[in-house]
């Protein structure tokens, strides 16, 4: 055991004196090594027992990246113009997407294979419909009127017809278009074969605040857009983030979007009455599922994540959802996509919750879980693939056109900042601070040009409205080296209405068209000519 330091015996012969300080002895060196329990060897440190370190492999020197003629020409454009050109794929994508999905799907909706629940049998009606409207309607025979009504409310049947009572049963809350068009079309066929006009019974009417049944479709669209946009910006700007951070942003962002959309659609707008908590939970789950799927895709497509996200959750989901027109009125492939897109499941869950029609929540929950699971799988493999691609790009020194344009634009903005400071009589030093230019070095370069093309930077040919920006420092009224600063402050005060040289910074001095240098009084000019002291940024040297 080592001896405590305060018990170390004295080894000097100096006698003790009252009031004198006791000499301190040198500390005894430690004879034991400090404990290394619980520590780990540092990265790159030698391993005990190894004779010599393993040789480190040197990465091969990458060959210079070869650019094509188009890329070399594109790099000569203005940096801001390069960035604009590299983002023009977005409006082009919107144009193509709207034409191929919305215009193609909705330009001529026509019924095909519409299921009709027929209670009992009516061969005359079936033969007449197949002759007058071939391929548009398919009759399904039911023995029970109650079963036929149940399937109409569930959405598997468009309408139900009972020949015994000559009566149609419809559910407008599930499909307003079907409930309006199908009974009218079949009524024309019935009257054509000599049957009286049937009566129409409403099983699930639409409320007054949703006259055409479009509220679920637009609420679904708001949920989809919110979900994919949160994950889209995470994929564009949050590549190095960990999985848990990305998922936390998606979960929190999904809750915020769910609260906002349902509050606006319900209590604020009044399009939905009641069911606020249930819709918040449903929207939260869907937004998180969509966000996870888009987040997983973002590892593979990078900054172009908006394209597959909008294709899956907007352009294809909207026409195939059945919110505007049912799948029996949509052309292929939108009729088949109704079985897999998120829009159809979301619309069905909303209708079932607020109107009590459509299939139950089981189909929607299964679809939600499938999209979330697919997103997690894509995240697991996509992160590794993205890291390998990133390291390969760093080692080989390869860059993209967008990266080159960003670098050029950053350098251009730095030069523009220095030029703007120079136009206001300032300059930026290497340390990032600002200093005042002398009068001889300062000139507004925007006075050149003509009325059509403007000045050098494309702006109007007007002088700087602020003129020279006077900078006043404490103690500027001192004699000697501060004489010129004091005189400058006096001139500034004369123009703006007075003020001491040691006071706060005064308002900028407006410049006139005919002068480029600040106005000086005769007194200050004489004193400066006599003293011959430097001014501006050299005043205090």
């Amino acid at each position: 055991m080592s001896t405590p330091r305060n018990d170390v015996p004295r080894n000097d012969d100096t006698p003790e004196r009252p009031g004198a300080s006791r000499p301190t002895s040198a500390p005894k060196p430690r004879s034991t090594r400090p404990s290394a329990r619980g520590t780990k060897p540092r990265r790159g440190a030698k391993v005990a027992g190894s004779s010599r370190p393993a040789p480190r492999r040197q990465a091969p020197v990458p060959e210079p990246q070869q650019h094509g003629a188009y890329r070399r020409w594109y790099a000569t454009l203005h940096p801001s113009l390069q960035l604009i050109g590299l983002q023009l794929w977005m409006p082009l994508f919107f144009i193509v997407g709207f034409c191929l999905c919305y215009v193609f799907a909705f330009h001529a909706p026509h019924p095909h294979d519409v299921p009709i629940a027929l209670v009992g049998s009516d061969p005359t009606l079936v033969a007449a419909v197949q002759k007058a409207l071939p391929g548009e309607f398919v009759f399904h025979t039911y023995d029970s009127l109650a079963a036929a009504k149940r399937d109409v409310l569930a959405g598997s049947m468009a309408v139900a017809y009972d020949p015994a009572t000559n009566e149609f049963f419809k559910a407008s809350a599930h499909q307003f278009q079907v409930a309006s068009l199908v009974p009218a079309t079949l009524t024309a066929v019935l009257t054509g074969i000599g049957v009286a006009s049937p009566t129409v019974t409403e099983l699930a009417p639409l409320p007054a605040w949703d006259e055409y049944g479009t509220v679920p479709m637009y609420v679904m669209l708001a949920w989809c857009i919110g979900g994919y946009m949160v994950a889209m910006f995470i994929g564009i700007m949050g590549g190095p983030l960990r999985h848990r951070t990305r998922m936390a942003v998606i979960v929190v962002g999904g809750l915020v979007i769910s609260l906002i959309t349902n509050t606006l659609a319900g209590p604020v707008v009044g399009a939905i009455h009641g069911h606020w908590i249930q819709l918040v939970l449903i929207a939260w789950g869907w937004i998180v599922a969509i966000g996870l799927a888009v987040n997983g895709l973002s590892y593979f497509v990078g900054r172009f994540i908006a394209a597959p996200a909008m294709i899956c959750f907007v352009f294809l989901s909207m026409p195939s959802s059945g919110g505007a027109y049912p799948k029996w009125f949509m052309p292929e492939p939108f009729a088949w996509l109704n079985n897999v897109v998120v829009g159809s499941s979301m619309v069905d869950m909303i209708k079932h919750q607020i109107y009590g029609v459509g299939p139950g929540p089981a189909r929607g929950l299964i679809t939600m879980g499938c999209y979330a699971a697919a997103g997690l799988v894509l995240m697991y493999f996509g992160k590794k693939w993205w890291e390998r691609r990133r390291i390969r790009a760093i080692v080989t020194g390869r860059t993209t056109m967008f990266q080159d344009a960003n670098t050029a634009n950053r350098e251009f903005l730095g030069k523009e900042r220095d030029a703007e400071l120079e136009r206001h009589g300032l300059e930026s030093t290497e340390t990032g601070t600002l200093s005042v230019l002398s009068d001889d070095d300062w000139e507004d370069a925007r006075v050149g040009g003509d009325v059509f093309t403007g000045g050098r930077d494309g702006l109007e040919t007007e002088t700087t409205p602020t003129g020279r920006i006077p900078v006043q420092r404490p103690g500027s009224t001192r004699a000697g080296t501060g004489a010129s600063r004091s005189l400058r402050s006096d001139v500034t005060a004369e123009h703006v209405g007075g003020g001491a040289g040691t006071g706060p910074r005064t308002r900028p001095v407006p410049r006139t068209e005919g002068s480029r240098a600040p106005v000086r009084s005769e007194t200050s000019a004489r004193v400066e000519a006599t003293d011959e002291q430097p001014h501006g940024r050299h005043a205090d040297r």
Side-chain angles (χ1 to χ4, degrees):
M1 180 179 296
S2 59
T3 307
R5 187 172 298 175
N6 55 356
D7 295 338
V8 176
R10 297 172 54 194
N11 297 324
D12 56 349
D13 299 332
T14 306
E16 294 184 0
R17 298 179 182 179
S21 60
R22 183 177 179 179
T24 58
S25 59
K28 185 178 180 180
R30 296 179 61 95
S31 59
T32 58
R33 298 177 60 186
S35 174
R37 180 178 301 174
T39 61
K40 296 181 180 180
R42 292 177 300 173
R43 182 176 297 178
K46 287 186 176 182
V47 180
S50 61
S51 59
R52 55 184 178 180
R56 300 180 62 181
R57 294 185 302 172
Q58 180 67 29
V61 178
E63 297 181 359
Q65 187 175 1
Q66 301 294 332
H67 299 312
Y70 172 76
R71 184 167 178 177
R72 291 195 302 269
W73 167 83
Y74 196 82
T76 61
L77 300 177
H78 192 282
S80 299
L81 185 59
Q82 294 183 42
L83 291 176
I84 294 174
L86 292 174
Q87 296 293 347
L88 288 180
W89 68 270
M90 181 72 75
L92 178 62
F93 172 76
F94 264 93
I95 294 171
V96 175
F98 271 97
C99 292
L100 294 182
C101 294
Y102 286 11
V103 177
F104 173 69
F106 295 128
H107 79 286
H110 187 74
H112 58 86
D113 299 328
V114 180
I116 305 297
L118 181 61
V119 181
S121 62
D122 191 348
T124 304
L125 173 62
V126 174
V129 170
Q130 291 178 352
K131 181 179 180 181
L133 305 170
E136 294 188 8
F137 297 94
V138 177
F139 289 89
H140 299 266
T141 304
Y142 281 77
D143 297 331
S144 171
L145 179 60
K149 291 181 179 179
R150 183 184 65 249
D151 288 348
V152 170
L153 290 175
S156 58
M157 293 289 126
V159 297
Y161 176 68
D162 187 2
T165 59
N166 194 20
E167 185 176 8
F168 279 108
F169 298 90
K170 66 178 184 178
S172 299
H174 184 263
Q175 273 298 337
F176 176 80
Q177 293 79 6
V178 169
S180 302
L181 296 175
V182 173
T185 303
L186 294 180
T187 297
V189 176
L190 288 172
T191 55
I193 60 177
V195 180
S197 297
T199 59
V200 179
T201 301
E202 183 67 71
L203 300 178
L206 281 168
W209 53 84
D210 186 14
E211 296 183 359
Y212 298 98
T214 57
V215 171
M217 178 187 64
Y218 290 111
V219 171
M220 173 272 300
L221 193 60
W223 294 355
C224 284
I225 293 176
Y228 90 77
M229 288 193 71
V230 170
M232 180 184 70
F233 288 115
I234 294 175
I236 294 176
M237 295 175 287
L241 294 178
R242 303 177 65 180
H243 287 318
R244 65 181 67 179
T245 305
R246 288 188 168 206
M247 294 177 65
V249 174
I250 293 174
V251 171
V252 175
L255 178 60
V256 173
I257 294 173
S258 175
L259 293 173
I260 293 176
T261 53
N262 288 284
T263 301
L264 292 177
V268 176
V269 178
I272 300 176
H273 289 201
H275 313 279
W276 186 81
I277 297 178
Q278 294 86 343
L279 291 178
V280 166
L281 296 177
I282 294 174
W284 190 13
W286 273 114
I287 294 173
V288 170
I290 294 173
L292 293 176
V294 175
N295 182 41
L297 285 173
S298 65
Y299 286 111
F300 297 93
V301 294
R303 70 182 187 91
F304 297 102
I305 182 57
M310 285 188 291
I311 289 176
C312 295
F313 302 108
V314 177
F315 290 140
L316 294 180
S317 184
M318 169 71 175
S320 305
S321 64
Y325 286 94
K327 63 180 180 180
W328 311 308
F329 283 67
M330 289 290 99
E332 297 294 347
F334 301 101
W336 179 86
L337 288 174
N338 179 266
N339 302 313
V340 295
V341 296
V342 297
S344 62
S345 298
M346 295 170 72
V347 169
D348 288 341
M349 293 185 73
I350 296 173
K351 290 180 178 180
H352 182 78
Q353 182 62 45
I354 61 179
Y355 300 145
V357 296
R363 174 174 177 263
L365 293 176
I366 294 174
T367 307
M368 184 191 305
C370 291
Y371 274 87
L376 293 175
V377 173
L378 290 174
M379 288 169 57
Y380 177 78
F381 292 102
K383 180 71 171 180
K384 298 181 179 180
W385 185 82
W386 179 84
E387 289 178 348
R388 288 196 299 268
R389 185 180 61 175
R390 184 187 183 192
I391 295 299
R392 188 183 304 112
I394 294 174
V395 172
T396 58
R398 301 186 64 86
T399 59
T400 63
M401 294 180 64
F402 192 76
Q403 292 173 343
D404 294 343
N406 265 327
T407 302
N409 190 62
R410 183 167 57 252
E411 296 175 354
F412 171 77
L413 293 178
K415 296 178 181 178
E416 283 291 301
R417 176 181 179 273
D418 295 339
E420 187 68 23
L421 291 174
E422 183 180 356
R423 282 195 288 264
H424 289 79
L426 301 172
E427 69 175 356
S428 179
T429 63
E430 295 180 357
T431 59
T433 58
L434 300 179
S435 61
V436 182
L437 292 173
S438 61
D439 295 334
D440 297 335
D441 298 337
W442 179 78
E443 181 180 2
D444 195 340
R446 292 183 291 185
V447 297
D450 52 65
V451 70
F452 296 104
T453 60
R456 181 183 65 182
D457 54 0
L459 301 179
E460 296 295 336
T461 57
E462 296 180 358
T463 56
T464 307
T466 57
R468 286 297 301 272
I469 299 178
V471 179
Q472 300 191 13
R473 302 177 177 86
S476 60
T477 57
R478 294 179 302 175
T481 58
S484 62
R485 285 183 292 175
S486 176
L487 293 173
R488 187 187 301 272
S489 303
D490 295 339
V491 174
T492 304
E494 178 182 353
H495 282 276
V496 299
T502 57
R505 178 177 295 182
T506 60
R507 296 175 61 86
V509 181
R511 299 184 61 206
T512 60
E513 289 289 340
S515 64
R516 293 190 179 181
V519 179
R520 302 181 184 181
S521 63
E522 296 179 0
T523 304
S524 62
R526 287 195 300 269
V527 174
E528 287 183 0
T530 304
D531 296 343
E532 295 182 357
Q533 295 289 340
H535 59 281
R537 55 176 173 170
H538 306 290
D540 49 359
R541 291 185 180 180

